Amino acid sequence: MQSNLVIFPKTEAAKSSTETEEKAISKYDRAEEQFIELLAMEDLDKKLDAKPSIASEFEQSLSMAIGAAYGNDRSDEQAHRFLQRILYRINRLKLFWYDDLQHYTNERSLYLYSCRDKIEAAWQQWELAQIDVSALQQLDVKQALIERASADLNPPLSESSRYIREEMPEAGYRHLLAIGSFDGLVEGSRLCYVLGGAANEVQCTLVRVLLEEYGNGRLSRKHSTFFAQMLAEFGMNTEPEGYFDLVPWEVLACANHNFLTTDRKRYFLRYSGALTYFEVAGPAAYKNYLAAAQRLELSEAAMGYWELHIREDERHGRWMLDDVALSLAERYPNDAWELLLGYDQEKLMGDRAAGAVVRSIRQAE
């Protein structure tokens, strides 16, 4: 390892300000460890049928967390974190990580599905409550999409954006890369779930987006390769999920929401709207990160991913709006408002995650 390696503290080590919160953190940590043991257990469903008490302590924590996160006016941050980490550990089994094959022994476990559904049911109701769905259903969808995309292409700088551009130190930049690697090293992987089916212009456009994310089949040009190069420039861990413990629950929620909308074809319009926002708004965020790297006078390798993304996502944003979102609005006039729901949810959750990342950077300084 290079001498400038940054050692990041694990979030489990953080101490809460009250005894009650400390107990909750400890309980959630123990419950997550128990869940990891369940994930690795051979014939998990059969063993639970024979001895349900194996999972009883975990299930008590799960129920407690759902109530604490989604059942009160004031949500419990540790409960959110616990639930999103559990949900992600289940969802990640949908991808292949080129690791020990035994890690997938329970990938079709009915028990894991039941845990996922229990979390998702409460979480999705909580997320939807933050969107005025009835108002979306009254809009001219195509006009609303065009207006949203125009506004989000070059938005005014937020307080967080100014901090990143003008104040964030090099240590903060490395912290940003650590959290960003959670998505950056497996980017685009979930898109593959929506590509199967009847051939049409929408499908072909999505395939084009996926192919460019994957460097048109060349590992040296794959976007994740450029992200790994940024990490390597600082002597940081380039393995996927290498900084998982640093990832705020708000960022995990974005990933889990993506898993949900790609896995369920009924949510295809929501996913397409979400991806439209992601591709349209991406360059503005990457320009902030690039500006920070240039201000810090970092090397080209330490910022190459942002430059690549700014170029390609500007093109992807146009494709997604013109050839996917607007086309789907015409194809599904009665359900087209779901495109707006997906778009607005992605923006809401993305802004929430961005704020959490900046708070994490500030706390780490």
Side-chain angles (χ1 to χ4, degrees):
M1 286 290 183
Q2 298 178 14
S3 60
N4 62 353
L5 172 64
V6 177
I7 304 299
F8 295 101
K10 288 191 175 184
T11 51
E12 284 87 353
K15 297 297 183 182
S16 294
S17 59
T18 69
E19 183 178 349
T20 300
E21 289 173 341
E22 288 174 356
K23 288 180 179 178
I25 293 172
S26 177
K27 185 176 183 65
Y28 290 143
D29 287 344
R30 289 199 306 271
E32 185 174 351
E33 289 300 320
Q34 291 163 1
F35 184 73
I36 291 172
E37 293 175 4
L38 294 174
L39 278 175
M41 193 175 292
E42 286 286 346
D43 296 323
L44 172 62
D45 289 354
K46 291 182 179 179
K47 289 180 179 177
L48 285 172
D49 287 340
K51 190 177 181 182
S53 61
I54 294 174
S56 59
E57 188 173 349
F58 163 73
E59 290 174 0
Q60 289 174 5
S61 296
L62 184 65
S63 296
M64 182 180 76
I66 289 174
Y70 310 125
N72 303 314
D73 292 334
R74 182 180 180 276
S75 295
D76 185 303
E77 293 293 305
Q78 293 302 324
H80 277 291
R81 180 176 181 274
F82 169 70
L83 292 170
Q84 293 300 329
R85 284 170 68 93
I86 294 299
L87 191 54
Y88 177 76
R89 289 189 185 279
I90 298 171
N91 283 330
R92 71 184 298 281
L93 293 175
K94 299 172 184 177
L95 303 179
F96 188 62
W97 296 87
Y98 291 87
D99 54 355
D100 189 338
L101 298 179
Q102 293 304 309
H103 291 167
Y104 306 90
T105 186
N106 291 308
E107 63 179 315
R108 303 194 74 179
S109 163
L110 294 178
Y111 178 74
L112 295 184
Y113 281 13
S114 71
C115 293
R116 180 200 64 190
D117 293 347
K118 186 180 298 184
I119 297 171
E120 283 183 348
W123 170 47
Q124 284 297 300
Q125 184 177 3
W126 181 79
E127 292 284 7
L128 281 172
Q130 301 175 57
I131 300 285
D132 189 344
V133 173
S134 60
L136 296 181
Q137 294 172 330
Q138 306 305 315
L139 296 176
D140 180 324
V141 173
K142 294 178 71 173
Q143 184 62 30
L145 284 168
I146 292 170
E147 291 174 355
R148 279 163 165 73
S150 178
D152 293 326
L153 188 60
N154 291 297
L157 290 180
S158 65
E159 181 181 345
S160 294
S161 296
R162 290 190 183 280
Y163 166 75
I164 290 172
R165 280 175 169 263
E166 301 169 8
E167 301 178 41
M168 183 175 67
E170 183 175 316
Y173 185 80
R174 299 183 191 191
H175 195 92
L176 174 70
L177 293 187
I179 296 175
S181 69
F182 170 70
D183 181 70
L185 294 179
V186 293
E187 186 184 8
S189 297
R190 293 178 291 273
L191 176 56
C192 66
Y193 282 100
V194 304
L195 297 181
N200 53 61
E201 289 298 326
V202 169
Q203 183 202 39
C204 290
T205 299
L206 292 172
V207 170
R208 287 164 66 195
V209 172
L210 180 68
L211 285 175
E212 290 208 351
E213 298 284 355
Y214 273 74
N216 289 302
R218 292 174 295 170
L219 181 60
S220 63
R221 300 301 301 172
K222 189 177 183 299
H223 289 185
S224 61
T225 298
F226 287 87
F227 205 105
Q229 289 172 352
M230 290 197 300
L231 294 169
E233 188 72 3
F234 294 109
M236 295 170 62
N237 189 347
T238 60
E239 291 298 315
E241 303 177 333
Y243 295 103
F244 180 64
D245 286 338
L246 277 180
V247 181
W249 73 260
E250 295 90 341
V251 176
L252 288 170
C254 291
N256 285 325
H257 194 263
N258 209 237
F259 274 117
L260 170 64
T261 54
T262 54
D263 194 43
R264 296 193 60 181
K265 302 304 178 286
R266 179 59 186 84
Y267 295 157
F268 180 73
L269 296 186
R270 285 175 64 183
Y271 172 72
S272 297
L275 185 58
T276 298
Y277 170 76
F278 186 83
E279 298 292 351
V280 165
Y286 302 137
K287 287 175 183 177
N288 294 333
Y289 307 151
L290 179 61
Q294 292 171 337
R295 171 177 54 82
L296 293 167
E297 299 182 348
L298 302 179
S299 67
E300 288 297 319
M303 66 179 82
Y305 177 89
W306 314 129
E307 294 177 318
L308 171 68
H309 254 292
I310 291 169
R311 293 194 307 270
E312 293 202 352
D313 280 7
E314 287 176 347
R315 182 168 62 253
H316 292 175
R318 292 192 298 271
W319 291 354
M320 288 301 304
L321 177 64
D322 297 338
D323 301 332
V324 176
L326 296 180
S327 295
L328 288 171
E330 291 183 359
R331 184 183 291 262
Y332 297 98
N334 294 331
D335 300 307
W337 64 270
E338 294 181 21
L339 290 158
L340 295 176
L341 174 59
Y343 189 104
D344 287 0
Q345 276 198 304
E346 184 73 13
K347 181 175 182 177
L348 177 65
M349 296 175 73
D351 288 348
R352 187 175 66 195
V357 171
V358 170
R359 287 195 300 274
S360 180
I361 293 171
R362 287 183 179 275
Q363 291 167 3
E365 288 182 12

